[in-house]
Amino acid sequence: MVLEKIDQLAREWLEEAGNRIFMALEQSNIEVEAKSDRNDLVTNVDKATEHYFAEKIAAHFPEHRLLGEEGYGEEITSLEGVVWVLDPIDGTVNFVEQKRNFAISLGIYQEGVGELAYIYDIIGGEFYFAKRGEGAFVNDVAIPKLAKDNKLEDSLVIINTASVRKFPHMLPVIQAARGLRLYGAATLEYMAVATGRADAYVSANLSPWDIGAGKIIAEEVGAIVTRVDGSEMVITEKGDSFVASPGVHAEILRDYSR
């Protein structure tokens, strides 16, 4: 019953947050700041969206904790109890520069297990959802399970320049694949793999909120999610990320990781 209540309220809050973000774009009410460098941006809309969720969670579920990007949650190193993992706007540079290709990302973890996940591509009009053990959906349409025998030579991959610099063995992966695609938002890149629009996504450095929802959704359709070396992904730790359909994940580890 608790998960049912969380799901009901999370959907309501995501819809409201999406409307607020859309209105901010319509009214050009966006103030931009740089964080660690000029490409690490935050806006008043990122902050307001996370603050909105923080207030709602505290009011309805005071025993729950929030792990968020903009500082309205808690410093969390473990996932005891119920933890909401939130990126209020994933793809902030896209939000600022393109006014598209960004999303709200929300994952719900209970005792370390991903139970519910939501990724809302507001401008693209795609609402992704997964519940553990019950499959994943986009706009209430079931996402098919991924094929297990895809080959790299027939695949599109998502690997940016930072990943190639950190992992030079990924350059031959790009060269062996059918093509390269980049979206600039980890949530949407995870969803590209989950929906079969791409077969692999490699990133050099992602935070928990970047993958908190995407990992749940991708795994629910059969994608393999690990670190680049194939080791287990620990959701509370920042680091590299490798998500792919089963066959391509195995092929890259087997043939390109040395």
Side-chain angles (χ1 to χ4, degrees):
M1 291 299 294
V2 173
L3 287 177
E4 290 178 11
K5 185 63 174 179
I6 290 172
D7 180 43
Q8 174 196 339
L9 291 174
R11 289 172 182 270
E12 293 175 6
W13 300 342
L14 284 159
E15 182 177 5
E16 174 62 22
N19 289 337
R20 292 182 180 203
I21 291 170
F22 187 81
M23 289 301 297
L25 285 173
E26 286 276 288
Q27 298 169 3
S28 298
N29 183 25
I30 302 172
E31 302 168 6
V32 184
E33 302 173 34
K35 293 195 286 188
S36 62
D37 60 54
R38 64 186 301 273
N39 296 318
D40 182 15
L41 303 182
V42 63
T43 73
N44 58 317
V45 185
D46 294 73
K47 294 177 180 179
T49 302
E50 185 166 312
H51 186 248
Y52 168 78
F53 275 95
E55 288 191 322
K56 291 292 188 182
I57 295 165
H60 289 82
F61 306 103
E63 72 280 12
H64 294 185
R65 296 182 293 160
L66 171 64
L67 174 57
E69 182 172 11
E70 308 307 340
Y72 291 96
E74 302 176 41
E75 291 288 336
I76 292 176
T77 57
S78 64
L79 294 175
E80 286 88 1
V82 177
V83 179
W84 300 56
V85 183
L86 173 70
D87 193 337
I89 298 180
D90 179 53
T92 302
V93 172
N94 291 348
F95 174 69
V96 171
E97 298 292 342
Q98 298 179 326
K99 310 297 187 286
R100 64 186 65 237
N101 296 322
F102 64 89
I104 306 174
S105 175
L106 178 63
I108 313 294
Y109 286 76
Q110 186 171 30
E111 304 302 341
V113 177
E115 297 285 358
L116 300 167
Y118 313 82
I119 291 176
Y120 186 14
D121 177 358
I122 298 158
I123 304 303
E126 292 184 322
F127 186 91
Y128 299 90
F129 165 73
K131 183 176 182 181
R132 184 172 64 89
E134 298 185 11
F137 303 81
V138 56
N139 296 344
D140 294 325
V141 177
I143 301 173
K145 294 285 187 177
L146 295 177
K148 296 182 179 180
D149 57 354
N150 287 3
K151 295 182 173 19
L152 179 60
E153 64 182 0
D154 300 321
S155 300
L156 297 177
V157 298
I158 306 168
I159 306 173
N160 61 26
T161 54
S163 299
V164 173
R165 285 195 299 269
K166 185 173 180 179
F167 305 108
H169 61 280
M170 287 298 163
L171 180 56
V173 171
I174 295 171
Q175 294 167 333
R178 172 163 283 167
L180 175 70
R181 299 293 183 268
L182 297 172
Y183 298 85
T187 48
L188 301 184
E189 288 162 331
Y190 259 75
M191 292 306 92
V193 174
T195 56
R197 297 169 186 166
D199 268 297
Y201 166 47
V202 176
S203 180
N205 195 28
L206 293 179
S207 296
W209 42 81
D210 295 315
I211 58 174
K215 181 177 184 293
I216 298 171
I217 297 171
E219 290 181 335
E220 196 63 29
V221 297
I224 308 299
V225 182
T226 65
R227 297 300 186 193
V228 171
D229 64 2
S231 61
E232 181 182 358
M233 171 82 70
V234 178
I235 194 65
T236 54
E237 297 176 1
K238 187 174 184 177
D240 56 78
S241 170
F242 175 26
V243 55
S245 59
V248 172
H249 192 280
E251 182 179 351
I252 291 173
L253 283 180
R254 182 187 68 238
D255 298 341
Y256 296 91
S257 61
R258 297 180 180 86

